[in-house]
Amino acid sequence: MLFNSFAFLYIFLPITYLVFWHLRGKSPRYVWLALSGYAFYSFWNYKFCALMLLSTVVSYLAGLGLLRWQDPVRRRLCLAIPVAADLALLGFFKYANFAVRNINEVSSWLGARSTLPLLDIVLPVGISFYTFHTITYIVDAYRRVITPTRDFAKFAAYVSFFPQLVAGPIVRFQQIERDFETVDRADRTADVNLAWSFFVLGMVKKVLIADTIGAVIDPALARYAELSTLSAWLCVLGFTYQVYFDFSGYSDMAVGLGHLFGFRLPQNFNSPYQATDVAEFWRRWHVSLTSFLRDYVYLPLGGSRGSRLMTARNVIITMVLCGLWHGANWTYVVWGLYTGFVVALHQVISETWARLPLWTRRVGTFGHFVVGLAIFRSTGLDMALSLLGAMFAWRGGTGIVGMKVLAVALCVAAASAHWGPNTFEMRHRWSPAWVSGLAALFGACLFVLYGSRPAPYVYFQF
Amino acid sequence: MRGGRRGRLGELGRAIPTLLVAVCLLDTALRFAPIDPLTFRAWEALTPYRPSGAAFQPNRRYQTNRSYGDLTAIGNLRSLRRYRAEAFTTDVLGFRNAAHVLGSPVDAILVGDSFAVGVGVLDDETLASRLSEPGDCRIYNAGGEAPGAGPDRILALARHLHMRHRLVIRLYSEDSEVPDIPTAWAMTTRRLVVGAPADARRLFGRLRGILTVSPLKILAERAWKTLEDDRILPNREAGYVVRGTLYNGDTMLFLTSRVKRAYERREAAAGYWKWLGDELRKEGFDLLLVLAPGKYTVYRPFLVSAGPVGPAADDYLERLERESRAAGVSVLSLAPVFRAEAARSMADGKYLYWPDDTHWNARGVALAAGAIREQWPRLGTLCRDEPLLRAQKP
């Protein structure tokens, strides 16, 4: 079930909202939130609810163990078992066939005749997110950053909280614990306007901007080998804005939905296209993931404490893992290598970079991301090479159908992303005229939802 | 940024839920309105609200002069539409027959998918009407239940008819899948559905229609598809349809999935047909299986650019015919007749299938009826004859 679907807007959300606020006390609300999260998740595939439950139960029990035991060996076990279970789940469902394919390729290259069969696996939606929720919970509990909860319903509600369940943000228990603690005292009306403001803006970003761009560039990218240089640049530029407005729109809707239930989810995008260097860019882009990687991968690897070479190594490893997190495909590995290399390079030339004019730094930072997305968007390395070839070596080819619409959408997207405030910077105090305008935009979104095929979120595939 | 004051922010918090409720109510209200003006052919108008066990809404008359092919609708290809008249009448049981058919003795029941029903043709141009034409023959058109009525439905239907002869003609179109033999559980469920009171089945059909058909969605989709004209926005539906050019320069549309399937080897199993024949025979009915070729099978040889056909991937109907005959099923394939006639009539710019639709046109239906009568002469004598002898071979 998508946030931009009528099953969600007309049925799931009203029922969940009304029952939640009708209930009194913490426990009933925890239970209801957990149940609604599982109901929400079951719309994709009810069988995968068992996986989420498994991950939840294992982490919950490990949390109890961390509360009870103080000796290092047992605590390490309480850390290792749930993290290993989560990574095993993730590894099996996301990377098993990737590994099999590569083993087969290598063995075929070595002359072996037999091949391993591919497994019949469907990737459970959101597994990359909820396993990371439970990992942060356990690692933070192990590090004594948080006190694990004894309340299973509360923990289950945290893991399965539907606004952030399938595509984040990756909310740490620490960030939302206070809202869970005060869930029985939450005021229904306090944030309702803020909530709808976030939700409407997120919906507009997703449906009117990202999906419009996608409607034009997706068919063009399906014929990537025929694209001219200009078309290739426009497609990749289009994808750069599509992915931002798609994911930040989803995150805004998630934040809005969180507010409807009295929860403050953290900011996931902080105007990344206004960043002036790559390090800043990655502090602003998909904040919940990049901060996860910083705290749970980069810093444990040594961070920037060692030599420049070691720091570069840590950065590259982190970014390759970041790439692999997005999917089991060599394009993500190459994208991770490329991004890691650029970030490492920036660490070397940061002083020189800082002396450049502001617009040069912004354009350079944005440009590195655009080029990287040519690899990221590709379905295989051949497509990546073809796209990059078209972008950097002049060639004629086919144009793009819907160029005028794309031009308008890109102008709106660029103005908003490069110069406009992000949703967390807005005051959300709308005059009646603005309210009418936003309502009209929301009405336009509903028209698109009725009229066109629903476009899934780009990040659902991760 | 944290939570606004109610006074100033209150507007949006009320405006959006109000808008959502208003649109939801509008959507719900429109679901109770007739959808005929929003449809381009009877199939779309009469199937959503059909009672369980029926193919269409009973006792309806649908008429339009602006019907067009399903392929232009699926592929959003407005410029290739060929407008035509369609008159579609259903009887009290919810099948495409004139009212008087129910009151007369019936010689055979015709079952099958949309090819059996007749799409884009008038009531007197359907296969059942054409087969009934020469004499006193009365063929009851029970087509329309995808993927095809099982013995339970056929027998339940026969109880409502005055059967003079016990013959079932099952039209199987190559483009559809051969049904699986239903499990005991599925058979029980079907019998329960068929045996349910008519009012309950009607109510269920109505509810299903209300839940699944949204006129607001149809209107919005229509508006959106106007934008997706390959100028303002790319036509995302175009990939579902293949545009073929015939040797005479005419354009012929095909469903992409059907074209792809032509290059795959399909399993030609006769198990279901044998089972169906045996089940019907237990109740004294005979079965004649008629195999209708798909449009791509017929016109592929005349296309300027047709892809290569892999070994033995092209003879599905022939294999199915052989297997069925070997299993003791009376079977007749229309493929050779259609291929030969397509070659003959194409020179005059005449076709057996609608160029913009997956189905055969009135000419194709007439050819099919003629071929069935010619290759199975028993049908001609049946209507004037004593009850049919069993297990005749064409």
Side-chain angles (χ1 to χ4, degrees):
Chain A
M1 189 167 24
L2 305 171
F3 291 164
N4 53 331
S5 69
F6 293 112
F8 179 82
L9 291 171
Y10 290 165
I11 300 168
F12 180 85
L13 182 59
I15 292 174
T16 310
Y17 180 81
L18 292 173
V19 173
F20 176 84
W21 289 109
H22 181 74
L23 295 169
R24 293 280 173 262
K26 287 182 190 176
S27 291
R29 287 187 171 178
Y30 292 155
V31 170
W32 177 247
L33 283 180
L35 288 177
S36 58
Y38 279 86
F40 179 78
Y41 195 63
S42 67
F43 271 78
W44 275 282
N45 190 333
Y46 69 92
K47 292 173 189 165
F48 291 141
C49 287
L51 285 180
M52 188 162 70
L53 185 63
L54 175 72
S55 175
T56 306
V57 169
V58 171
S59 298
Y60 169 74
L61 293 176
L64 291 185
L66 288 169
L67 266 181
R68 184 172 174 184
W69 294 311
Q70 299 305 318
D71 69 288
V73 177
R74 283 180 172 174
R75 286 182 66 80
R76 247 178 255 141
L77 270 179
C78 288
L79 170 72
I81 290 170
V83 171
D86 278 330
L87 293 179
L89 276 182
L90 199 57
F92 176 74
F93 283 100
K94 203 162 177 175
Y95 305 107
N97 274 335
F98 180 60
V100 168
R101 271 194 296 272
N102 285 293
I103 289 168
N104 286 342
E105 293 240 341
V106 171
S107 33
S108 146
W109 186 67
L110 292 173
R113 287 184 184 172
S114 59
T115 54
L116 295 172
L118 286 174
L119 304 168
D120 185 18
I121 299 173
V122 177
L123 178 67
V125 68
I127 192 169
S128 306
F129 291 93
Y130 69 72
T131 49
F132 274 33
H133 283 132
T134 50
I135 287 174
T136 60
Y137 174 80
I138 285 302
V139 175
D140 286 354
Y142 177 77
R143 290 174 176 172
R144 300 181 202 278
V145 176
I146 58 162
T147 306
T149 178
R150 292 179 189 278
D151 188 335
F152 180 72
K154 179 182 175 182
F155 183 62
Y158 156 68
V159 177
S160 66
F161 187 44
F162 74 87
Q164 41 98 53
L165 177 57
V166 291
I170 301 163
V171 184
R172 300 185 196 183
F173 191 67
Q174 185 188 9
Q175 292 171 308
I176 205 169
E177 189 181 8
R178 192 160 158 257
D179 291 335
F180 268 103
E181 272 308 308
T182 57
V183 71
D184 56 332
R185 298 195 297 276
D187 179 0
R188 186 177 66 82
T189 56
D191 283 348
V192 71
N193 306 300
L194 181 68
W196 283 111
S197 183
F198 265 98
F199 190 80
V200 170
L201 290 169
M203 179 81 89
V204 169
K205 284 161 86 171
K206 159 70 181 159
V207 175
L208 296 188
I209 301 179
D211 289 355
T212 303
I213 293 173
V216 178
I217 66 165
D218 286 347
L221 282 168
R223 297 175 287 104
Y224 63 88
E226 303 163 16
L227 291 175
S228 67
T229 296
L230 180 65
S231 301
W233 272 106
L234 281 172
C235 281
V236 176
L237 198 62
F239 181 66
T240 310
Y241 291 112
Q242 183 198 0
V243 74
Y244 171 64
F245 280 91
D246 187 284
F247 197 17
S248 72
Y250 175 87
S251 298
D252 287 342
M253 281 193 264
V255 170
L257 291 168
H259 278 298
L260 273 182
F261 293 84
F263 292 89
R264 288 161 297 173
L265 301 184
Q267 185 175 16
N268 216 14
F269 288 87
N270 183 15
S271 304
Y273 293 167
Q274 296 175 20
T276 54
D277 63 58
V278 288
E280 185 192 359
F281 179 90
W282 289 108
R283 285 194 298 273
R284 288 164 170 251
W285 178 271
H286 198 176
V287 177
S288 64
L289 175 68
T290 50
S291 62
F292 175 95
L293 291 169
R294 181 196 64 212
D295 294 346
Y296 301 98
V297 179
Y298 177 69
L299 292 178
L301 279 172
S304 58
R305 289 193 297 271
S307 64
R308 274 190 169 175
L309 200 62
M310 288 304 286
T311 304
R313 183 205 69 163
N314 297 339
V315 165
I316 290 171
I317 289 174
T318 306
M319 293 316 289
V320 168
L321 287 175
C322 178
L324 266 177
W325 176 86
H326 285 91
N329 193 328
W330 283 108
T331 50
Y332 295 122
V333 177
V334 173
W335 174 81
L337 279 170
Y338 160 81
T339 308
F341 177 77
V342 173
V343 175
L345 179 68
H346 171 258
Q347 286 179 337
V348 177
I349 61 159
S350 57
E351 287 178 11
T352 315
W353 182 263
R355 285 197 291 273
L356 292 172
L358 180 69
W359 68 268
T360 314
R361 285 183 281 143
R362 277 197 173 178
V363 170
T365 304
F366 180 67
H368 106 276
F369 190 62
V370 174
V371 173
L373 284 186
I375 306 166
F376 188 90
R377 172 62 176 78
S378 297
T379 49
L381 291 177
D382 51 345
M383 180 177 172
L385 286 173
S386 175
L387 262 183
L388 289 170
M391 288 164 72
F392 291 105
W394 180 259
R395 79 178 188 202
T398 56
I400 297 175
V401 176
M403 186 66 99
K404 286 178 190 167
V405 171
L406 181 64
V408 172
L410 287 185
C411 288
V412 173
S416 166
H418 294 292
W419 295 285
N422 65 56
T423 35
F424 274 75
E425 290 168 340
M426 292 175 180
R427 294 176 64 204
H428 298 277
R429 296 184 177 184
W430 307 109
S431 66
W434 272 103
V435 169
S436 305
L438 285 171
L441 286 173
F442 191 69
C445 291
L446 292 180
F447 165 73
V448 176
L449 296 183
Y450 267 105
S452 68
R453 274 182 284 162
Y457 294 89
V458 173
Y459 261 66
F460 275 17
Q461 61 187 299
F462 307 138
Chain B
M1 198 226 49
R2 166 83 177 156
R5 305 262 168 82
R6 233 180 284 174
R8 298 196 61 179
L9 288 176
E11 297 300 323
L12 197 63
R14 277 196 291 270
I16 300 302
T18 305
L19 180 63
L20 270 175
V21 170
V23 175
C24 184
L25 287 176
L26 176 68
D27 186 350
T28 308
L30 286 175
R31 286 168 190 251
F32 292 90
I35 59 164
D36 288 12
L38 302 177
T39 56
F40 66 97
R41 57 178 187 166
W43 195 273
E44 274 64 34
L46 303 184
T47 53
Y49 302 96
R50 71 186 192 280
S52 307
F56 306 100
Q57 257 184 294
N59 289 327
R60 284 290 314 274
R61 169 86 176 157
Y62 181 94
Q63 197 154 10
T64 178
N65 291 322
R66 301 276 295 167
S67 179
Y68 52 86
D70 57 0
L71 294 174
T72 51
I74 292 167
N76 191 24
L77 302 166
R78 283 167 175 262
S79 61
L80 297 177
R81 286 180 189 170
R82 297 199 175 187
Y83 292 101
R84 49 188 169 263
E86 186 180 55
F88 199 107
T89 309
T90 62
D91 60 22
V92 69
L93 298 178
F95 294 97
R96 189 179 188 182
N97 295 285
H100 69 270
V101 176
L102 273 177
S104 325
V106 170
D107 297 299
I109 300 174
L110 171 69
V111 291
D113 59 11
S114 48
F115 277 77
V117 176
V119 174
V121 295
L122 304 175
D123 284 333
D124 55 2
E125 294 171 336
T126 65
L127 185 59
S129 300
R130 293 289 191 207
L131 286 172
S132 301
E133 256 174 12
D136 298 331
C137 222
R138 287 254 188 267
I139 310 292
Y140 185 81
N141 187 354
E145 275 193 279
D152 43 356
R153 297 252 171 113
I154 296 169
L155 296 173
L157 179 63
R159 282 194 283 275
H160 291 280
L161 303 174
H162 174 207
M163 297 294 298
R164 189 162 58 181
H165 294 94
R166 298 191 148 209
L167 173 65
V168 172
I169 302 173
R170 172 63 161 93
L171 185 79
Y172 166 70
S173 63
E174 182 188 11
D175 290 339
S176 59
E177 296 296 337
V178 176
D180 293 325
I181 297 172
T183 59
W185 170 250
M187 289 288 280
T188 308
T189 315
R190 282 189 197 180
R191 280 192 198 110
L192 283 174
V193 171
V194 170
D199 286 344
R201 287 189 287 121
R202 229 183 344 261
L203 180 67
F204 180 77
R206 181 77 188 148
L207 281 175
R208 186 185 50 213
I210 288 169
L211 287 174
T212 55
V213 180
S214 163
L216 191 59
K217 188 166 176 57
I218 294 172
L219 284 168
E221 279 175 350
R222 223 177 243 192
W224 188 256
K225 282 186 174 180
T226 310
L227 295 175
E228 289 188 334
D229 61 352
D230 263 345
R231 284 195 299 275
I232 300 171
L233 284 174
N235 179 5
R236 282 196 279 187
E237 319 293 331
Y240 293 118
V241 172
V242 173
R243 276 188 227 206
T245 305
L246 298 165
Y247 280 124
N248 64 6
D250 284 356
T251 299
M252 186 71 90
L253 301 181
F254 303 94
L255 205 58
T256 305
S257 58
R258 308 278 158 83
V259 173
K260 283 182 182 161
R261 189 188 275 178
Y263 300 100
E264 296 161 0
R265 186 175 170 84
R266 292 172 73 185
E267 183 70 24
Y272 175 79
W273 305 120
K274 179 168 169 29
W275 172 82
L276 179 63
D278 291 345
E279 291 294 309
L280 290 173
R281 195 169 292 122
K282 284 179 197 167
E283 301 293 328
F285 280 82
D286 283 293
L287 171 70
L288 170 63
L289 175 63
V290 178
L291 307 179
K295 186 180 179 183
Y296 191 68
T297 299
V298 174
Y299 283 102
R300 188 182 55 77
F302 312 114
L303 288 171
V304 174
S305 55
V309 179
D314 192 27
D315 62 347
Y316 170 66
L317 280 189
E318 285 81 350
R319 286 185 289 119
L320 185 58
E321 186 184 9
R322 273 198 308 273
E323 293 286 325
S324 302
R325 189 160 288 138
V329 178
S330 298
V331 58
L332 162 65
S333 173
L334 299 175
V337 180
F338 268 69
R339 283 196 183 115
E341 181 57 27
R344 265 196 300 274
S345 58
M346 209 180 75
D348 306 327
K350 291 175 180 168
Y351 300 106
L352 305 173
Y353 292 72
W354 295 109
D356 63 349
D357 199 293
T358 42
H359 300 93
W360 48 28
N361 56 19
R363 177 182 287 270
V365 175
L367 179 71
I372 293 169
R373 279 200 306 269
E374 189 183 320
Q375 295 184 42
W376 211 56
R378 184 67 193 158
L379 184 66
T381 54
L382 167 73
C383 310
R384 299 182 296 274
D385 216 351
E386 291 303 306
L388 185 71
L389 294 173
R390 296 276 172 79
Q392 289 196 48
K393 299 278 165 51

